[in-house]
Amino acid sequence: MSAFDWLNSEAFTAFGQHVIWSDMAGNTIGLAALALGWRRSIWTWPAQFLSGLILVGAYASAQLSGGVGKQLLVIGVALWGWRQWTRGRQQAQDGSIAVRFATWRERGLLLAGTAAGTLAVGLLFSAVPALSWNPWPDAYIFVGTLAAMVAQARGLVEFWFAWLLVDIVGVPLAFSSGLAFSGLVYVIYLALVLWGMRDWWQRSRAATAALEGAPA
């Protein structure tokens, strides 16, 4: 048995759902990556890179070509985000990654890019059924994940809002696709997202207050 075959073999069955090793391992590492992102650790990016590599196999086994494409993008953005955080590592006074709210221009660009990207990818998935059996939700998650990672790489608090919106669709889609562990992890993601959102929000406000109180 090859490593690919083993990763896509069944790990266990729970409540009638078959859980495969790649789905479980990739999403467990992805969960750790999100927790590391909340802690503003640079290790969030190699964790996301490894998670993407493993989940390529999981989505391929479920014949979700769109999911495979998403994970390939995750791998690419993880490398870019790693570089961004390495370059900006000393921005905060404690030596960690500085976080802030996006400007209205940045929010507009993020929303417009996400909407246009979802439309384009959804039309592509609809025109080529082999890419996805559920084109519009898959396109929404595909582009939403990319938008969230870009916002994270830039240290924007809105990164957490993007993940929250992805989770709303990701949970039911994962379960209906037979990736039960992905669905479970998306539920745990939701709790981490709310926690991380609160932490980054407070840090952003504290940083703003410190700048406003600094002597001219």
Side-chain angles (χ1 to χ4, degrees):
M1 179 183 291
S2 68
F4 182 81
D5 291 334
W6 179 82
L7 277 172
N8 288 319
S9 63
E10 184 178 311
F12 60 88
T13 301
F15 306 106
Q17 295 284 342
H18 301 280
V19 178
I20 61 175
W21 285 109
S22 57
D23 185 28
M24 182 172 66
N27 278 292
T28 299
I29 296 171
L31 193 61
L34 190 64
L36 288 167
W38 160 50
R39 299 295 298 172
R40 292 162 296 119
S41 167
I42 196 96
W43 290 102
T44 184
W45 297 108
Q48 288 189 52
F49 177 83
L50 181 58
S51 173
L53 282 178
I54 296 173
L55 286 175
V56 164
Y59 282 101
S61 72
Q63 298 182 335
L64 292 173
S65 301
V68 172
K70 183 188 82 172
Q71 294 307 322
L72 291 175
L73 270 179
V74 165
I75 290 169
V77 176
L79 291 173
W80 175 72
W82 196 349
R83 180 173 179 270
Q84 290 291 107
W85 277 29
T86 300
R87 290 173 60 189
R89 196 170 188 175
Q90 302 301 322
Q91 289 179 358
Q93 290 184 352
D94 63 358
S96 63
I97 301 301
V99 297
R100 63 180 176 85
F101 279 97
T103 64
W104 283 108
R105 180 177 181 276
E106 288 173 322
R107 290 173 185 166
L109 289 172
L110 195 62
L111 285 172
T114 301
T118 300
L119 178 61
V121 174
L123 290 172
L124 174 63
F125 286 174
S126 298
V128 187
L131 293 177
S132 175
W133 64 270
N134 206 347
W136 290 104
D138 211 7
Y140 174 89
I141 293 174
F142 184 105
V143 179
T145 297
L146 180 60
M149 291 183 69
V150 168
Q152 181 187 9
R154 296 182 65 82
L156 302 180
V157 178
E158 283 78 2
F159 144 64
W160 296 104
F161 291 94
W163 264 123
L164 185 63
L165 293 174
V166 167
D167 274 356
I168 292 172
V169 176
V171 172
L173 182 63
F175 278 112
S176 64
S177 299
L179 298 175
F181 202 82
S182 289
L184 174 62
V185 167
Y186 268 121
V187 174
I188 302 174
Y189 272 172
L190 181 59
L192 274 177
V193 163
L194 293 174
W195 200 347
M197 184 189 299
R198 178 178 179 273
D199 181 72
W200 278 35
W201 192 317
Q202 289 179 332
R203 289 181 183 277
S204 177
R205 291 180 63 184
T208 301
L211 287 173
E212 290 175 349

